[in-house]
Amino acid sequence: MKHKQGIRQPYAQNPVTTDHWLPGPEANTTTRRGFLSKSSLIAMSVALGTTIPFAKFMPAGLIPIALAETDSALEQAGKDGLIVLNDRPINAETPAHLLDDKITPATRLFVRNNGIPPVIDQTAIHQWKVDIEGESCVSPKAYSIDELKTKFEAQTLQLQMECGGNGRSEYYPPAKGNQWTNGAIGCPEWTGIRLADVLADCGIKDDAVYVAYESADKHLSGDPTKLPISRGVPVHKAMESESMLVWAMNGEPLPALHGYPLRLICAGWPGSVSGKWLTKILVRNQLHDGPKMTGQSYRIPCKPVAPGTAVADDDMCIIESMPVKSIVTFPKSGISHNLGESLAIRGHAWAGDQSVSELHTSIDFGATWQTAILDKPVNRLAWQHWHSSIHFPEPGYYEIWARAVDQNGSSQPMVLPGWNPRGYLNNACHRIAVKVMV
Ligand SMILES: Nc1nc2c(c(=O)[nH]1)N[C@H]1C(S)=C(S)[C@@H](COP(=O)(O)O)O[C@H]1N2
Ligand SMILES: [Mo]
């Protein structure tokens, strides 16, 4: 099996041969420009097979995306061209150009498993129960899926789900964990009921703080007393009308890998709060303390730290809303394009709990930006589509960068956001390579 390489890995693995791509030190790559020596520029152009018209704007230390990308796909049943990052447990991401659909099909939704998915007996599905309990639950109840479907009002919403570690591969020093590039994001349509309605039916006490899940997957160690993951959200997030218990995705029963027969969706937050194969909802009177909720999991330093810093658990804060981000889904990175023809480009943008208000693209390494047309979300917490048209001034190697700005004015960073020990929340601009030819 081939593994996908991040943009920082070539340097980490072989600093000597990659050094001529890296004329300056790794730090502050976003601020210094045009520091390429003549020899590195020549070497880069040779490797790319063309000139770099906007080389004078290239941030020092930037590895051209065309050189950092590898093409390796491992077939996974029911999945169309996803890149497998780990096969036990199975974890796979979707290359950006396969995320072009407005509604992500099941075949193109990334898979993130912390444990071993349960094998579910279809014939026993009517016996599947979800227990609602916990210190702050007034009257604990167990519901079958049929009861949930008949007792509560169903709704269908398109909701984004992004893994907290999406983009991890670009951090340096590298963080342990799945080396996601850009593909741990998707936005399918989910059908189910509001978590708030179920919680209201059981009643929640005034001292309720957190709503957490437990699931039927197995710990990697095989120890049946251990859960692979059990996370949650503060009560206010659980009560949002978009927080749902869902049984269908894109009009079909949930696929086995995505949580059949029932999962939680709390969109806009790290995907890890959206528990699959749901067996239990806990209304807690304290911050939930299940596996992957404590320590350094899904947490970032409360205050920014220098790359490589060890941070004490007490100084780590739980990730809530995901940051503003975007991808270019058309064209595929690496294409050749004829000079003189404009190039139609498009993609999606999202911003955790917020909406996206602007999308800009650049073909000169972020020196200048052009505003794209950005659609409104179909509903709150759905990604937004954007499109634009690009004109290239001369032949050569270009990168198209996309940068979204959320409703609060926060923008994606051009190269990398703040480093953190577990490599979460990389919302750097997505970059694709285009070779313009005469
Ligand atoms: N029970 C259970 N739920 C889970 C997980 C898991 O390992 N087990 N992984 C979480 C993480 S980290 C993510 S990013 C999303 C991924 O959902 P998907 O595999 O359907 O894309 O599911 C979340 N829910
Ligand atoms: Mo995740």
Side-chain angles (χ1 to χ4, degrees):
M1 181 194 318
K2 283 190 197 153
H3 290 272
K4 187 113 179 159
Q5 283 204 328
I7 196 167
R8 303 279 140 173
Q9 261 92 326
Y11 184 75
Q13 283 162 9
N14 196 345
V16 180
T17 57
T18 36
D19 234 16
H20 56 275
W21 310 128
L22 299 162
E26 278 270 298
N28 294 324
T29 53
T30 48
T31 49
R32 292 172 307 106
R33 290 176 179 278
F35 274 35
L36 296 173
S37 68
K38 206 163 184 188
S39 64
S40 18
L41 193 56
I42 291 167
M44 236 185 234
S45 298
V46 167
L48 293 166
T50 187
T51 53
I52 309 173
F54 290 118
K56 65 171 188 270
F57 296 129
M58 271 185 98
L62 187 84
I63 301 168
I65 196 70
L67 302 178
E69 282 171 342
T70 56
D71 249 350
S72 68
L74 190 93
E75 288 299 310
Q76 164 70 27
K79 291 290 176 185
D80 165 23
L82 267 67
I83 308 286
V84 175
L85 303 175
N86 187 353
D87 56 357
R88 189 179 185 279
I90 179 84
N91 284 286
E93 72 169 8
T94 317
H97 70 281
L98 294 181
L99 285 169
D100 196 39
D101 301 87
K102 289 193 168 178
I103 300 177
T104 310
T107 50
R108 292 179 171 184
L109 180 63
F110 77 98
V111 181
R112 167 63 175 126
N113 289 328
N114 291 267
I116 304 300
V119 177
I120 290 169
D121 177 3
Q122 295 271 351
T123 60
I125 214 65
H126 297 288
Q127 274 100 62
W128 187 280
K129 293 268 188 218
V130 182
D131 295 310
I132 317 290
E133 54 186 58
E135 309 92 350
S136 298
C137 177
V138 178
S139 29
K141 289 185 187 173
Y143 299 94
S144 69
I145 293 176
D146 292 336
E147 278 169 316
L148 293 174
K149 285 183 178 173
T150 50
K151 194 164 180 168
F152 302 98
E153 186 198 353
Q155 66 180 17
T156 298
L157 293 176
Q158 204 193 330
L159 297 168
Q160 77 221 19
M161 186 173 57
E162 180 178 21
C163 184
N166 195 23
R168 176 178 291 131
S169 65
E170 293 188 12
Y171 282 113
Y172 194 84
K176 283 201 202 96
N178 288 303
Q179 295 302 304
W180 306 108
T181 63
N182 302 289
I185 171 73
C187 194
E189 211 174 64
W190 309 94
T191 301
I193 53 176
R194 287 178 287 268
L195 175 57
D197 292 350
V198 181
L199 295 176
D201 193 53
C202 299
I204 61 172
K205 296 182 189 164
D206 287 346
D207 66 352
V209 174
Y210 241 72
V211 177
Y213 68 81
E214 287 187 6
S215 305
D217 46 347
K218 301 277 171 294
H219 195 268
L220 285 177
S221 65
D223 181 343
T225 65
K226 284 190 182 162
L227 294 171
I229 184 167
S230 168
R231 304 198 67 240
V233 293
V235 172
H236 71 85
K237 179 67 182 172
M239 299 304 271
E240 279 183 353
S241 61
E242 296 83 7
S243 292
M244 296 167 76
L245 302 185
V246 304
W247 54 78
M249 190 171 102
N250 301 335
E252 301 284 337
L254 282 175
L257 278 176
H258 298 295
Y260 180 83
L262 193 74
R263 78 175 298 171
L264 259 179
I265 292 290
C266 293
W269 288 34
S272 55
V273 300
S274 295
K276 307 194 267 190
W277 314 291
L278 196 68
T279 55
K280 204 177 272 190
I281 296 284
L282 295 165
V283 188
R284 303 294 317 267
N285 65 358
Q286 60 166 78
L287 211 161
H288 183 56
D289 49 2
K292 309 251 159 128
M293 195 73 232
T294 57
Q296 309 249 320
S297 297
Y298 301 101
R299 291 180 188 229
I300 51 164
C302 304
K303 293 196 186 106
V305 298
T309 308
V311 183
D313 287 358
D314 283 350
D315 297 326
M316 299 286 277
C317 286
I318 299 172
I319 299 169
E320 298 201 327
S321 175
M322 295 292 289
V324 60
K325 196 162 171 177
S326 60
I327 43 170
V328 183
T329 60
F330 186 88
K332 181 184 179 182
S333 187
I335 60 146
S336 295
H337 181 74
N338 292 332
L339 183 70
E341 290 169 16
S342 64
L343 174 65
I345 60 167
R346 60 176 181 259
H348 315 290
W350 60 97
D353 280 340
Q354 314 297 316
S355 62
V356 179
S357 55
E358 289 165 41
L359 190 294
H360 306 281
T361 62
S362 175
I363 57 165
D364 54 13
F365 303 105
T368 63
W369 296 88
Q370 170 183 319
T371 303
I373 295 167
L374 175 71
D375 295 349
K376 291 200 158 48
V378 291
N379 51 250
R380 183 171 175 259
L381 310 184
W383 67 13
Q384 294 166 242
H385 316 297
W386 61 266
H387 67 274
S388 194
S389 177
I390 302 273
H391 170 80
F392 297 96
E394 59 177 279
Y397 173 83
Y398 292 84
E399 291 188 1
I400 300 174
W401 291 12
R403 181 171 62 87
V405 181
D406 72 17
Q407 67 192 62
N408 295 333
S410 299
S411 171
Q412 288 183 253
M414 282 197 277
V415 179
L416 274 180
W419 181 93
N420 61 89
R422 289 285 178 94
Y424 296 120
L425 307 186
N426 178 5
N427 65 334
C429 290
H430 182 212
R431 308 151 57 198
I432 66 159
V434 176
K435 220 183 257 190
V436 176
M437 335 256 268
V438 271

